[in-house]
Amino acid sequence: MARIRVITDSSCDLPPALAEQYGIDIVPLTVRFGVEEFVDRRDLTPSQFWSRVAASPILPETAAPSPGAFEEAYERALAEGYDGVVAITLSSGLSATYQAAELGAKSVAEAIPVRVVDSRSLTLALGMMCVSAAQAAEQGKTIDEVVDVVEDVKVRTRVYATLDTLENLKKGGRIGGAQAFLGSMLSIKPVIEISSETGKVEQESKQRTRSKSIRYLADKVRDAGKIEQLAVLHGDAPDLGDLLDMLAEFYPREEIIVGDIGAVIGAHGGPRTIGVTYQVPR
């Protein structure tokens, strides 16, 4: 039976214990505050990142990993006895990470087969795709069968989040279809979604208050019906417990995965971003 390693990037925001449980290897992006550069989640934990955001007048910027960083991860999988790799990355509509993973794969093509999948998503939506892939690999599926599982999960994945500000998205150039929010950004709490078709940020809803936007997220989950892999993502959000309480009204709280938004997504979403991700039925 072939052993398949799942590799992703640090935008996945997977809880470390979950990544370790499934042997998911994570290639880090980098984050910059002015001239200071940090390796995501190695030099800067999510809590350290948010502390720095609060204290810094400079908006952080991020950079994709190099093809060489992915090449090293693929070679590491080979050295650890894996027969193939499925690499699932941050949306190509938002980052050059996918292209770096593809270039790295070409460099090791003669040594180990690598399939690179564009998640067209981010944060824990990407992370849960990786968990699905790792579960399929544990079941003994071939490399192409694991990719098929990811493609199935990808089209069924939904991710919604509410932001306290659009300033980070605007300055980072990642605002996509949420451009329509800008005219009234001071008077609303925007709810965005990541389109599974384009992999870009799109407008979903305008809510007048933070509490209404949190309730809106819970209602989206409730109205989706019988869902899979519910996860909550947040960037130092003080009302995380409120959202979890709302979701627990109709979904077992102990089954909800909670992940901290780190530097990669946090640099563009801004502080107090909070969201949900799940898969709808086939």
Side-chain angles (χ1 to χ4, degrees):
M1 183 179 74
R3 296 181 67 219
I4 307 301
R5 160 63 63 84
V6 176
I7 291 175
T8 188
D9 61 75
S10 62
S11 73
C12 70
D13 292 335
L14 271 174
L18 202 57
E20 183 177 352
Q21 177 184 344
Y22 288 105
I24 298 169
D25 197 0
I26 298 175
V27 177
L29 282 79
T30 54
V31 59
R32 291 189 300 271
F33 285 86
V35 297
E36 289 187 279
E37 185 169 282
F38 304 90
V39 178
D40 184 30
R41 293 183 184 258
R42 288 188 192 171
D43 300 337
L44 209 60
T45 66
S47 61
Q48 290 169 336
F49 168 74
W50 291 117
S51 294
R52 186 172 282 269
V53 165
S56 175
I58 303 169
L59 281 179
E61 299 177 335
T62 58
S66 67
F70 278 101
E71 185 179 347
E72 289 177 9
Y74 303 151
E75 290 174 341
R76 189 159 55 243
L78 179 63
E80 293 176 8
Y82 287 89
D83 303 295
V85 169
V86 174
I88 314 168
T89 72
L90 173 61
S91 173
S92 64
L94 300 171
S95 169
T97 301
Y98 171 76
Q99 289 83 353
E102 284 266 80
L103 288 171
K106 291 178 180 178
S107 300
V108 299
E110 294 184 7
I112 185 169
V114 178
R115 305 285 189 273
V116 183
V117 181
D118 179 357
S119 74
R120 293 187 184 167
S121 200
L122 42 65
T123 188
L124 265 182
L126 164 59
M128 299 315 292
M129 290 181 206
C130 295
V131 168
S132 294
Q135 289 171 338
E138 283 186 350
Q139 293 164 8
K141 293 187 183 296
T142 67
I143 189 170
D144 291 325
E145 289 172 335
V146 172
V147 170
D148 288 344
V149 167
V150 178
E151 293 292 349
D152 170 68
V153 170
K154 184 166 83 173
V155 297
R156 296 188 295 112
T157 292
R158 305 290 182 267
V159 55
Y160 303 97
T162 185
L163 311 178
D164 249 18
T165 174
L166 284 170
E167 197 63 28
N168 296 60
L169 273 183
K170 180 183 175 185
K171 289 190 174 180
R174 283 2 185 247
I175 201 158
Q179 185 79 25
F181 278 138
L182 291 179
S184 57
M185 61 186 289
L186 295 178
S187 61
I188 62 168
K189 294 300 179 186
V191 176
I192 60 166
E193 67 175 316
I194 309 303
S195 167
S196 60
E197 294 182 1
T198 66
K200 294 184 178 181
V201 179
E202 304 288 350
Q203 173 178 329
E204 215 291 323
S205 172
K206 297 178 181 180
Q207 299 297 313
R208 289 293 176 186
T209 65
R210 173 78 173 187
S211 60
K212 286 182 178 179
S213 67
I214 298 293
R215 170 50 72 181
Y216 184 87
L217 293 176
D219 289 346
K220 289 292 289 188
V221 178
R222 184 198 61 211
D223 295 345
K226 190 176 181 181
I227 60 169
E228 302 169 14
Q229 287 189 323
L230 176 60
V232 171
L233 45 124
H234 75 104
D236 201 29
D239 39 15
L240 169 64
D242 295 341
L243 178 56
L244 289 172
D245 288 343
M246 293 176 193
L247 294 171
E249 294 171 8
F250 50 84
Y251 196 96
R253 184 163 180 160
E254 65 276 9
E255 295 181 16
I256 302 174
I257 303 296
V258 178
D260 295 316
I261 294 174
V264 178
I265 305 305
H268 303 289
R272 294 171 297 283
T273 295
I274 189 167
V276 294
T277 181
Y278 52 88
Q279 284 97 51
V280 296
R282 290 177 180 83

